[in-house]
Amino acid sequence: MGVMIEGEDVLLPPTNFSMVERGIYRSGFPKRDSFAFLENLNLRSVIYLCPEAYPEENAEFLKAHEIQLFQFGIDGKKEPFDSVPKDTITVALKILLDVRNHPVLIHCKRGKHRTGCLVGCLRKLMNWCLPSVLEEYQRFAGAKARDTDMKFLEMFDASSLRQCLYSIIYRYQGSAIHNRRLIYTEENLHQKRITSN
Amino acid sequence: MGVMIEGEDVLLPPTNFSMVERGIYRSGFPKRDSFAFLENLNLRSVIYLCPEAYPEENAEFLKAHEIQLFQFGIDGKKEPFDSVPKDTITVALKILLDVRNHPVLIHCKRGKHRTGCLVGCLRKLMNWCLPSVLEEYQRFAGAKARDTDMKFLEMFDASSLRQCLYSIIYRYQGSAIHNRRLIYTEENLHQKRITSN
């Protein structure tokens, strides 16, 4: 959390920006006028969920700050229930959960549907009950909430993913005594890295 | 962030729950069925923004977990522009910013108006531009967004608060090199503590 030093410029977060968990942020597509804000997040990686090529000025921003780009091209127009292959979400979740990639920003175009689906799957993995998962999805999607996305979230089975995660770290700040660390066996972990270089 | 251990119960966050910043959460009024979820946050304090007495079962939960209660009785029915004295918000902000109180949960009844105003003032102090402050307010208030709250946020002057803060710590995870710490002179700091005991 940064509090302004007198005279510093006003900061513009990307549209639909929010913290998801410690080390995990979400937003709509960041434009140039949000780069100053993003610099303060000290990101290590970006999970980008659109099929379109990353714009040159965004790619340059990532390169200048040594931020890794993970791209998962999910078509935003198709119905997510058809077009979000569970495999894609599963690989994206593994990238998302890997603390070596934190702080990480998840974004698509508007930060509503594709980003909302990935965050919703994370919440299921965190064992949030379905109504709370959907409430969060709807908070960001607003009037654009899609029944198909919510059906996707309802149907997503997080249990299979739990079996193949390499390392999941239970982290709550200020609670070192309560921190729990689980190490899973490394199997079926094939991280797909698509870099901006 | 916690990922479920096979067989653990499903967790129910309070309504309108979200992380604001590292160590700062917001929500509507937590009911008993959310206590298991709240336990995992390892809270040190709660900022409660309603004038009504804290329900006994909630007070017992706080006591059992050694969580400090800071109550600021802001009337939820009056127009906030009239009823939220700047002094009250200023004292609440000092409690909120003090990392010794973190992790902290801010809540009122629905987590929309009073909580939204306090979080919005925090964002102004963090130097977010007004449209982003209002976007976040509206995301939680939804169809219940109030023009008077948004006017309050527009008019709130964070600059006077900056002069009297005791200690503000710039913290971004995973960025030790970039961390900045500012120590302000201790003046005008009168923390009002209302405990649950």
Side-chain angles (χ1 to χ4, degrees):
Chain A
M1 184 172 62
V3 175
M4 188 179 88
I5 297 172
E6 211 74 40
E8 275 195 356
D9 289 338
V10 169
L11 294 170
L12 177 69
T15 183
N16 243 345
F17 174 83
S18 181
M19 196 168 196
V20 177
E21 286 288 324
R22 181 176 168 185
I24 302 178
Y25 304 92
R26 61 181 289 170
S27 74
F29 209 105
K31 295 176 186 166
R32 182 189 289 273
D33 53 10
S34 289
F35 288 173
F37 177 87
L38 293 182
E39 273 181 35
N40 282 327
L41 301 181
N42 297 300
L43 297 172
R44 278 207 198 127
S45 63
V46 162
I47 295 177
Y48 169 52
L49 300 173
C50 304
E52 293 81 12
Y54 219 49
E56 196 169 340
E57 65 178 15
N58 292 64
E60 278 171 10
F61 173 79
L62 297 198
K63 195 172 181 183
H65 295 83
E66 296 182 339
I67 299 166
Q68 179 91 27
L69 177 67
F70 298 98
Q71 181 171 3
F72 299 93
I74 299 169
D75 192 333
K77 287 171 190 165
K78 281 189 191 163
E79 297 298 345
F81 200 36
D82 300 325
S83 72
V84 178
K86 195 188 171 219
D87 289 353
T88 305
I89 287 288
T90 300
V91 179
L93 273 171
K94 286 175 188 168
I95 301 291
L96 181 59
L97 289 164
D98 189 335
V99 295
R100 292 170 297 182
N101 299 323
H102 292 189
V104 56
L105 173 69
I106 309 162
H107 79 83
C108 51
K109 194 171 174 190
R110 290 182 294 182
K112 292 174 190 269
H113 305 112
R114 289 167 279 198
T115 298
C117 284
L118 182 58
V119 170
C121 291
L122 171 69
R123 296 307 191 189
K124 290 196 81 168
L125 202 60
M126 292 172 69
N127 212 22
W128 283 29
C129 69
L130 184 64
S132 300
V133 173
L134 298 180
E135 181 194 284
E136 184 178 46
Y137 169 86
Q138 289 173 305
R139 192 183 305 136
F140 287 87
K144 301 281 187 182
R146 291 177 181 163
D147 288 342
T148 45
D149 282 354
M150 292 191 279
K151 190 75 185 166
F152 171 80
L153 289 172
E154 185 185 340
M155 301 299 287
F156 181 77
D157 177 16
S159 62
S160 61
L161 182 57
R162 290 193 189 99
Q163 306 306 317
C164 65
L165 287 171
Y166 170 62
S167 169
I168 296 168
I169 299 177
Y170 288 74
R171 299 187 314 164
Y172 282 112
Q173 74 211 75
S175 58
I177 291 167
H178 301 288
N179 278 358
R180 295 175 291 183
R181 179 189 275 254
L182 279 191
I183 305 296
Y184 286 77
T185 53
E186 183 170 18
E187 54 180 37
N188 301 327
L189 184 76
H190 302 292
Q191 292 189 354
K192 183 183 171 190
R193 295 208 166 199
I194 302 167
T195 75
S196 59
N197 301 322
Chain B
M1 182 172 62
V3 175
M4 188 179 89
I5 296 172
E6 210 76 40
E8 276 195 359
D9 289 338
V10 169
L11 294 171
L12 178 67
T15 180
N16 242 348
F17 174 83
S18 181
M19 195 170 199
V20 178
E21 286 288 326
R22 180 175 167 186
I24 303 179
Y25 304 93
R26 62 180 291 171
S27 75
F29 209 106
K31 296 177 185 164
R32 183 189 288 274
D33 54 9
S34 290
F35 289 172
F37 177 86
L38 293 182
E39 272 181 36
N40 282 328
L41 302 181
N42 297 299
L43 297 172
R44 279 206 198 130
S45 63
V46 162
I47 294 177
Y48 169 51
L49 299 174
C50 305
E52 292 81 13
Y54 218 49
E56 195 170 341
E57 67 179 12
N58 291 64
E60 278 171 12
F61 174 79
L62 297 198
K63 195 173 179 181
H65 295 83
E66 298 181 336
I67 298 166
Q68 180 91 28
L69 177 67
F70 298 98
Q71 182 172 3
F72 300 92
I74 299 170
D75 192 332
K77 286 169 189 162
K78 283 190 189 160
E79 297 297 346
F81 200 35
D82 300 325
S83 71
V84 178
K86 196 190 170 218
D87 288 353
T88 305
I89 287 287
T90 300
V91 179
L93 273 171
K94 286 175 189 169
I95 302 291
L96 181 58
L97 288 165
D98 189 335
V99 296
R100 293 171 297 182
N101 299 322
H102 293 188
V104 56
L105 173 69
I106 308 161
H107 79 82
C108 50
K109 194 172 173 190
R110 290 182 294 182
K112 292 175 190 266
H113 304 112
R114 289 167 280 198
T115 298
C117 284
L118 182 58
V119 171
C121 291
L122 171 70
R123 297 308 191 189
K124 288 195 83 167
L125 203 60
M126 293 172 69
N127 212 21
W128 282 29
C129 69
L130 184 64
S132 300
V133 172
L134 298 180
E135 181 195 284
E136 183 178 45
Y137 168 86
Q138 290 173 303
R139 192 184 303 137
F140 288 86
K144 302 279 188 183
R146 291 176 180 163
D147 288 341
T148 46
D149 282 354
M150 292 192 278
K151 190 73 183 166
F152 172 80
L153 288 173
E154 185 185 339
M155 300 298 288
F156 181 77
D157 177 15
S159 62
S160 61
L161 182 57
R162 290 191 190 101
Q163 306 308 316
C164 65
L165 287 171
Y166 171 61
S167 170
I168 296 168
I169 299 176
Y170 288 74
R171 302 185 314 165
Y172 282 113
Q173 76 211 77
S175 58
I177 291 167
H178 300 289
N179 278 358
R180 295 174 292 179
R181 178 187 274 253
L182 280 191
I183 306 295
Y184 286 78
T185 54
E186 184 171 17
E187 55 180 37
N188 302 326
L189 184 77
H190 303 291
Q191 290 190 357
K192 183 183 170 189
R193 294 207 166 199
I194 302 168
T195 74
S196 60
N197 299 323

